[in-house]
Amino acid sequence: DVVLTQTPVSLSVTLGDQASISCRSSQSLVYSDGNTYLKWYLQKPGQSPQLLIYEVSNRFSGVPDRFIGSGSGTDFTLKISRVEPEDLGVYYCFQATHDPLTFGSGTKLEIK
Amino acid sequence: EVQLVESGGGLVQPGSSLKLSCVASGFTFSNYGMNWIRQAPKKGLEWIALIYYDSSNKYYADSVKGRFTISRDNSKNTLYLEMNSLRSEDTAMYYCATISGFWGPGTMVTVSS
């Protein structure tokens, strides 16, 4: 199974600063069709997860441009510039390239 | 507006069965693959099953393979998860989610004697 290793486990950020989360895969996430099915989700306290980024770098509808996904192959990063109070929660990467599909273990973002 | 509403959760004994439903609205349900994903209390997310838009393919996590069955009825805009031989470790919030990224609020399943 593909293991997604997220670092750091938790992150404390001052409002207005940048946050960066890494997601490393145990296998390449490039699918046979050439696409890379790596997503980023945010689960705010008490809510269902919400999609932020799909296929590495595409922002989902309504997601602010402060959220930037990047990477390729096995190494991926989510950057949040100018962190705002509503950004707190747990961030998960998720791969849908290989069966079984898998999530990273999550990164908890706290506001200082 | 896309809406997914799960139902069917509850408190059940180990070894018993339960069937979850997820009713979809606000989009063309028959065009989209669907997932079930669960989250044990205070834990991370675990993908458990995927079904293609036309039910032609189904995939399962090893933790539920042989015990859980995903299915759908496109005429009713409804996704199902039939769960058999339930164990305490199946206790979790169960979410349905489209492959395009929309999630429901979840339904809680508690397996306990």
Side-chain angles (χ1 to χ4, degrees):
Chain A
D1 296 3
V2 172
V3 176
L4 297 179
T5 302
Q6 279 186 242
T7 54
V9 171
S10 64
L11 195 51
S12 185
V13 179
T14 300
L15 291 176
D17 281 359
Q18 177 176 277
S20 182
I21 301 169
S22 169
C23 176
R24 287 193 168 168
S25 173
S26 59
Q27 299 177 36
S28 171
L29 298 184
V30 180
Y31 190 57
S32 54
D33 63 3
N35 292 320
T36 301
Y37 295 103
L38 187 283
K39 295 179 177 177
W40 288 96
Y41 286 95
L42 165 60
Q43 187 173 30
K44 297 182 180 182
Q47 296 186 18
S48 304
Q50 57 189 79
L51 180 63
L52 298 173
I53 301 286
Y54 63 96
E55 290 174 27
V56 180
S57 59
N58 298 283
R59 272 185 295 277
F60 192 52
S61 175
V63 174
D65 59 9
R66 302 183 292 104
F67 292 89
I68 300 169
S70 63
S72 63
T74 60
D75 285 350
F76 304 93
T77 302
L78 177 69
K79 283 187 167 55
I80 312 160
S81 61
R82 306 181 309 277
V83 167
E84 297 188 4
E86 61 264 30
D87 299 338
L88 74 89
V90 182
Y91 290 79
Y92 295 94
C93 56
F94 171 72
Q95 68 82 20
T97 295
H98 299 286
D99 175 36
L101 285 61
T102 48
F103 284 92
S105 53
T107 295
K108 186 174 184 177
L109 178 66
E110 298 172 319
I111 308 297
K112 276 185 190 171
Chain B
E1 180 196 1
V2 172
Q3 278 205 312
L4 299 167
V5 180
E6 304 91 339
S7 62
L11 173 63
V12 295
Q13 292 197 331
S16 61
S17 300
L18 204 58
K19 188 171 184 176
L20 307 183
S21 299
C22 168
V23 176
S25 61
F27 67 104
T28 306
F29 179 72
S30 57
N31 285 354
Y32 289 90
M34 296 292 297
N35 293 286
W36 285 101
I37 295 156
R38 68 184 181 184
Q39 186 171 34
K42 306 287 188 187
K43 299 293 185 184
L45 300 170
E46 181 188 15
W47 171 84
I48 57 172
L50 163 67
I51 186 168
Y52 277 22
Y53 70 101
D54 59 355
S55 301
S56 59
N57 286 288
K58 302 176 186 181
Y59 301 91
Y60 299 93
D62 288 345
S63 58
V64 305
K65 202 173 288 184
R67 299 188 300 124
F68 290 11
T69 301
I70 189 171
S71 62
R72 64 191 296 160
D73 185 338
N74 286 344
S75 69
K76 295 182 179 178
N77 286 352
T78 303
L79 176 72
Y80 302 101
L81 185 68
E82 189 154 9
M83 305 185 294
N84 298 317
S85 304
L86 283 162
R87 307 165 180 165
S88 58
E89 54 264 37
D90 296 318
T91 293
M93 181 70 80
Y94 284 74
Y95 298 99
C96 68
T98 71
I99 61 168
S100 58
F102 293 99
W103 293 52
T107 187
M108 186 67 199
V109 173
T110 303
V111 184
S112 174
S113 55

